[in-house]
Amino acid sequence: MAEAEGVNQGNSAQVSIIIPTYNESRNIIGILKSIGENLPKNITAEAIVVDDNSPDLTGKIVEDYLKNVKKIAGYTMDIIHRTSKNGLSSAILSGIQRAKGDLIVVMDSDFSHPPHVIPKMLESLKKYQCDMVVASRYINGGKINGWTLKRKFMSKIATLIATKGLGVKTKDPMSGFFVFKKNILKGINFDAIGYKILLEILVKKSGIAVKEIPYTFENRNIGSSKLDSSTVTDYFKSVWKLYKFGKSKEPEERRNSVRFISKASRFYTVGLSGFGVNYLISLLFAGGISDLWYLHANLIGIGASITTNFLLNKTWTFGDRDFSKKRTLKQYGKFVTFSSLGALVQLGMVFYLVDSQNLSYPISLVLAVLTAAFGNYVFNKKYTFKEKVWG
Ligand code: GDD
Ligand code: MN
């Protein structure tokens, strides 16, 4: 149908504008009108409001409005009613599912994202032949008006986490204002947690071409932000998921020698850290925080360092995040056993080398320590953490 009307010809495409709302009764009609006034005339567009059963009756207000006005020029309007507040990201996805357009614009309904930027975004998409254009506050020319210092600070931190932690190149990955070709979403399996749908796309489709253009974010005049503490925890949840996603895409090292040695160096680094823990805890209990007999204090030090060694080796060296009680205790038991066995082997070997082989004590010591340390690594790798020794 759209083709019959000639919309996909020449420089025009069909654009779907997704506008999620929650308690925006005093903004939504105004923003719908403003979008209509600002859209370039040569495009065919539809607006899709996605309302989550707002208690202030945003949904009904839009519904009533649409009874009279379904269409302004080439611009049609529609609304999706969801039954409850299910989050911004998932609202946007619901809208996209309904969208007929091959270009998708995502924007807020509270005038923070000025509609006059939309034509510029669409032009840039064509001009730079990219897959996505992000309206950005954090490039030259971009700005934020009306935010408290605290909110600005939080936004900066969140942005830093995304760029440094997840390796995202876009300067404003937290933007809620962007346009993209719908087909880039193919193959993405969305978590859609919280607010950050853009970030999820950027991480999961890191290959797409993204252009940023500056704009001024205007804090809303009417109503209040829906961002709360759960939005913040949601953010950390989604960053963690995206981080793991990135890791799972990294090519795994295939050379056994490299894997063997890289784990060995982690194992021995942990061992070194154990010396530090042992030393500090032993001192601490023999005078620092309590006045134990120095041998008892040392016993506590040894116990503490075996425990930290175990935990670090489990999580870091061998990347084992399964902390179920039975499994962890079993592993811990084996780890303690091998550590003690290592000490005994070392003792026995020194005695044997010095006494029956007439080697010097320093040389015997080096040989015994190396043997015990090597055995420790290999046995823990194989029996405690159930990995192949070589690899
Ligand atoms: N349907 C639905 N469901 N809509 C929601 C929900 C929800 O659970 N939560 C928020 N919205 C709608 C709001 O009604 C508004 O239109 C838009 O999503 C943004 O919500 P705000 O509460 O106004 O967010 P903000 O102004 O604090 O943050 C905005 O700007 C940030 C900086 O660009 C959002 O766009 C953020 O995504 C963005 O990071
Ligand atoms: Mn807002």
Side-chain angles (χ1 to χ4, degrees):
M1 263 234 332
E3 271 78 13
E5 287 162 24
V7 277
N8 274 335
Q9 288 163 18
N11 56 4
S12 60
Q14 166 125 7
V15 180
S16 298
I17 304 161
I18 315 295
I19 312 161
T21 54
Y22 192 76
N23 285 348
E24 304 287 1
S25 59
R26 291 188 291 150
N27 285 316
I28 186 62
I29 303 302
I31 197 80
L32 285 172
K33 285 182 182 158
S34 175
I35 292 170
E37 285 154 17
N38 280 282
L39 279 178
K41 295 293 164 261
N42 66 336
I43 66 163
T44 305
E46 61 172 350
I48 301 174
V49 175
V50 187
D51 186 68
D52 280 1
N53 202 5
S54 301
D56 78 346
L57 301 183
T58 305
K60 182 170 181 327
I61 290 168
V62 175
E63 204 66 64
D64 290 345
Y65 177 72
L66 294 188
K67 274 185 197 138
N68 307 314
V69 195
K70 264 268 177 203
K71 191 165 176 162
I72 317 175
Y75 168 64
T76 59
M77 286 165 279
D78 201 356
I79 179 164
I80 298 175
H81 299 279
R82 305 201 305 171
T83 48
S84 59
K85 189 170 188 300
N86 267 323
L88 182 50
S89 292
S90 78
I92 293 169
L93 286 183
S94 305
I96 293 172
Q97 267 162 17
R98 172 80 65 92
K100 295 196 235 15
D102 26 37
L103 298 182
I104 307 283
V105 175
V106 175
M107 67 186 292
D108 294 351
S109 62
D110 58 356
F111 289 95
S112 287
H113 300 152
H116 68 80
V117 185
I118 299 173
K120 292 185 199 160
M121 292 161 78
L122 293 169
E123 275 162 35
S124 301
L125 196 70
K126 243 176 65 189
K127 183 167 152 204
Y128 298 101
Q129 302 202 335
C130 47
D131 303 304
M132 175 185 274
V133 173
V134 175
S136 174
R137 301 161 292 170
Y138 297 135
I139 57 171
N140 261 339
K143 241 177 90 185
I144 296 172
N145 276 343
W147 266 7
T148 58
L149 215 62
K150 182 181 160 205
R151 180 79 207 254
K152 279 188 184 163
F153 181 71
M154 277 169 53
S155 172
K156 275 280 177 200
I157 299 280
T159 305
L160 272 175
I161 292 175
T163 49
K164 305 292 172 216
L166 298 174
V168 168
K169 296 282 178 303
T170 307
K171 295 278 190 302
D172 192 359
M174 302 293 122
S175 179
F177 195 14
F178 51 101
V179 51
F180 59 93
K181 297 181 177 156
K182 190 166 78 187
N183 62 16
I184 65 165
L185 299 187
K186 269 190 205 131
I188 299 186
N189 188 2
F190 280 101
D191 300 321
I193 306 171
Y195 264 46
K196 298 309 164 200
I197 196 78
L198 172 62
L199 183 62
E200 189 167 355
I201 299 174
L202 291 173
V203 171
K204 294 190 171 169
K205 277 284 151 108
S206 50
I208 60 171
V210 181
K211 171 79 187 165
E212 285 181 89
I213 64 168
Y215 85 106
T216 302
F217 179 100
E218 301 282 352
N219 194 21
R220 61 162 78 229
N221 288 320
I222 305 174
S224 55
S225 168
K226 278 86 205 170
L227 188 133
D228 54 17
S229 59
S230 75
T231 317
V232 179
T233 34
D234 279 346
Y235 180 62
F236 287 108
K237 262 190 227 159
S238 72
V239 165
W240 177 241
K241 284 208 156 199
L242 292 174
Y243 177 75
K244 282 200 297 196
F245 176 89
K247 282 275 166 232
S248 72
K249 293 286 158 195
E250 266 174 21
E252 228 198 298
E253 175 57 59
R254 301 180 78 89
R255 287 164 298 178
N256 283 335
S257 56
V258 176
R259 287 157 52 142
F260 182 84
I261 289 172
S262 109
K263 283 196 180 156
S265 38
R266 274 182 267 177
F267 188 84
Y268 295 122
T269 308
V270 169
L272 271 177
S273 82
F275 283 128
V277 171
N278 192 343
Y279 184 77
L280 287 177
I281 300 281
S282 300
L283 282 185
L284 213 61
F285 276 93
I289 52 170
S290 72
D291 247 330
L292 293 184
W293 182 38
Y294 71 97
L295 280 187
H296 283 162
N298 190 209
L299 225 52
I300 297 177
I302 291 172
S305 63
I306 290 182
T307 307
T308 54
N309 280 0
F310 168 69
L311 291 173
L312 286 170
N313 277 322
K314 179 172 166 69
T315 52
W316 184 49
T317 310
F318 296 105
D320 176 0
R321 296 286 146 79
D322 183 347
F323 274 97
S324 54
K325 217 169 161 187
K326 203 172 149 210
R327 177 190 177 92
T328 311
L329 279 177
K330 226 170 142 184
Q331 289 176 325
Y332 185 61
K334 287 183 190 168
F335 191 83
V336 173
T337 308
F338 288 134
S339 305
S340 327
L341 275 182
L344 284 180
V345 165
Q346 193 180 317
L347 219 61
M349 228 178 119
V350 171
F351 177 68
Y352 170 78
L353 291 178
V354 172
D355 218 63
S356 352
Q357 301 297 316
N358 288 321
L359 282 183
S360 76
Y361 177 58
I363 292 185
S364 308
L365 200 59
V366 168
L367 289 177
V369 168
L370 287 179
T371 309
F374 185 75
N376 232 326
Y377 172 54
V378 168
F379 278 83
N380 276 308
K381 194 168 195 294
K382 186 163 160 74
Y383 296 108
T384 310
F385 297 105
K386 305 267 188 239
E387 287 192 0
K388 273 194 301 190
V389 171
W390 187 241

